[in-house]
Amino acid sequence: MTESALSVPGRRVLVVDAWANAPRWRITPDAERAIRDAAPPEWDVRVMQAPTVSDGDGGTPPSGEALAAIADAEVYVGFGISRPLFEAAGRLRWVHSAAAGVGSALFPAMRESDVILTNSAGVHAVPIAEHVLAGVLFLVRALDQMVELQRARHWDRERFAGAPSVVREMSDCRALIIGAGGLGGAIASRFTALGARCIGVRRNPARGPPAGFERVVGPDEWRALLADCDVLVLAAPATEETRALVGAAELDALPRGAIVVNVSRGTLLDEDGLAERVRRGALRGAVLDVFRVEPLPDASPLWALPSVVISPHVSGVSLNGFWRRELALFLENWRRYQRGELMQNVVDKDAGY
């Protein structure tokens, strides 16, 4: 720690546990400085120097430094929060996670407590949406087949200019995006800018369609739309309600040229069923950044499919954008917290996001 971990009477303590093991998520010197500069006189800011795991949502063992520092902390900022850290905290009132998912942080003690939990949903939306657009365009413009021909040094115009051809424009595509929040909205706005028509799926469709969507439907309505869906995007939180959301029946309802995208969690999708349908040509392909088991096992049939774009859970990577957006979110919420105002990104512990 760069500050003393000893409790000082009358002082309020903020613990920042964000020295991520992955450099792209690690707190920057500018972000640390901005947090210290924003601290009112009655606050002690303790910035951890021990590495922490930024993958996932807080289920990994904490460092000894963080365990000691959190004992009298009122606010904790990290990549989720583990059960040992929560149990070591005697004065905790608010936990902010620099991750979007919160599944591992919703253990019984946290769920039953009055500790506020906020997350970083939407902070990764820009790079993930760009990743999704790039992957879908790769398949829509048949670049997967062009790369294959290039490696074989084979010139074959007829495959693309002849009939039938898999080459399309985005304006020919109808997208169904499950999850119409910050991430789903960022994806829809990019699709729509290129002419695609987007329908969103959200828990409460009565709130109306966000920008980028022509309309939204509820959890009981979207399956009826699969037959007309060219691109199915999974961008919803991982909860018990979304577990195994897209299985054999849903995959079989999609048209032959459909593309499946998953940037949520692997638990939402039947990967083996997807692989089998892509292999036999029942689906055009897939763009997958998350998997049921990570790293993706060598034995997975997905590896052998040229029309499946596989990335190792890195769609959210950004050169400079993450801490710029993360810092803005946290500082605004810290200001609201101190004033007793409604904060952004408060997690519904019962809903799981």
Side-chain angles (χ1 to χ4, degrees), residues 3-327:
E3 300 285 340
S4 170
L6 297 177
S7 178
V8 178
R11 303 285 286 174
R12 306 170 76 180
V13 176
L14 163 67
V15 171
V16 181
D17 188 14
W19 189 253
N21 56 349
R24 287 299 180 199
W25 311 130
R26 186 176 300 157
I27 188 169
T28 65
D30 287 346
E32 178 179 341
R33 189 178 307 111
I35 292 172
R36 291 190 185 281
D37 289 346
E42 70 273 17
W43 282 85
D44 283 332
V45 178
R46 301 175 184 165
V47 180
M48 304 296 96
Q49 301 301 306
T52 187
V53 176
S54 53
D55 299 336
D57 49 25
T60 54
S63 68
E65 182 187 21
L67 278 170
I70 203 172
D72 59 346
E74 181 178 342
V75 179
Y76 172 82
V77 180
F79 295 91
I81 188 168
S82 64
R83 192 189 307 258
L85 270 177
F86 189 82
E87 292 173 348
R91 296 169 52 186
L92 201 58
R93 304 302 306 152
W94 170 35
V95 171
H96 175 71
S97 175
V102 293
S104 296
L106 292 176
F107 41 83
M110 167 61 90
R111 288 175 64 100
E112 295 162 10
S113 76
D114 58 0
V115 174
I116 301 166
L117 176 62
T118 58
N119 70 357
S120 296
V123 168
H124 298 88
V126 170
I128 295 178
E130 292 181 359
H131 183 97
V132 170
L133 178 59
V136 170
L137 281 171
F138 185 80
L139 297 175
V140 165
R141 298 303 303 166
L143 296 184
D144 57 321
Q145 297 184 14
M146 295 177 190
V147 168
E148 209 172 0
L149 291 172
Q150 178 181 346
R151 289 173 177 162
R153 298 173 181 262
H154 180 59
W155 184 272
D156 183 2
R157 296 185 72 249
E158 185 64 21
R159 180 186 296 198
F160 309 104
S165 172
V166 298
V167 179
R168 290 183 285 174
E169 298 178 14
M170 285 297 292
S171 59
D172 296 327
C173 296
R174 296 153 299 180
L176 182 63
I177 302 176
I178 301 179
L183 173 56
I187 295 169
S189 67
R190 285 157 177 78
F191 280 13
T192 302
L194 295 180
R197 296 169 53 199
C198 298
I199 297 175
V201 182
R202 67 180 349 169
R203 186 172 56 164
N204 182 10
R207 292 162 56 191
F213 293 100
E214 77 176 26
R215 64 189 177 105
V216 292
V217 299
D220 298 326
E221 303 172 79
W222 62 272
R223 287 178 174 83
L225 306 176
L226 289 172
D228 294 321
C229 173
D230 300 300
V231 183
L232 175 64
V233 180
L234 302 181
T239 66
E240 283 305 312
E241 287 70 30
T242 59
R243 183 178 297 276
L245 188 68
V246 176
E250 290 77 18
L251 294 171
D252 285 339
L254 290 166
R256 188 176 186 84
I259 296 166
V260 176
V261 179
N262 191 6
V263 286
S264 174
R265 288 292 186 271
T267 55
L268 276 70
L269 177 64
D270 177 2
E271 294 170 5
D272 293 336
L274 173 67
E276 192 274 329
R277 285 158 179 80
V278 172
R279 182 193 58 76
R280 61 180 166 86
L283 294 173
R284 171 67 180 91
V287 179
L288 305 176
D289 185 56
V290 291
F291 303 90
R292 187 172 57 249
V293 176
E294 296 182 4
L296 183 64
D298 291 347
S300 171
L302 294 168
W303 287 112
L305 299 170
S307 58
V308 174
V309 180
I310 293 174
S311 54
H313 204 151
V314 293
S315 62
V317 170
S318 173
L319 180 61
N320 298 307
F322 172 70
W323 271 105
R324 183 176 67 248
R325 290 184 288 268
E326 180 64 32
L327 180 65

Side-chain angles (χ1 to χ4, degrees), residues 330-348:
F330 172 71
L331 291 181
E332 174 61 19
N333 265 351
W334 195 19
R335 182 191 67 79
R336 295 186 185 197
Y337 172 79
Q338 294 172 81
R339 296 184 181 185
E341 298 172 358
L342 182 66
M343 292 193 289
Q344 299 174 343
N345 285 26
V346 176
V347 172
D348 181 333

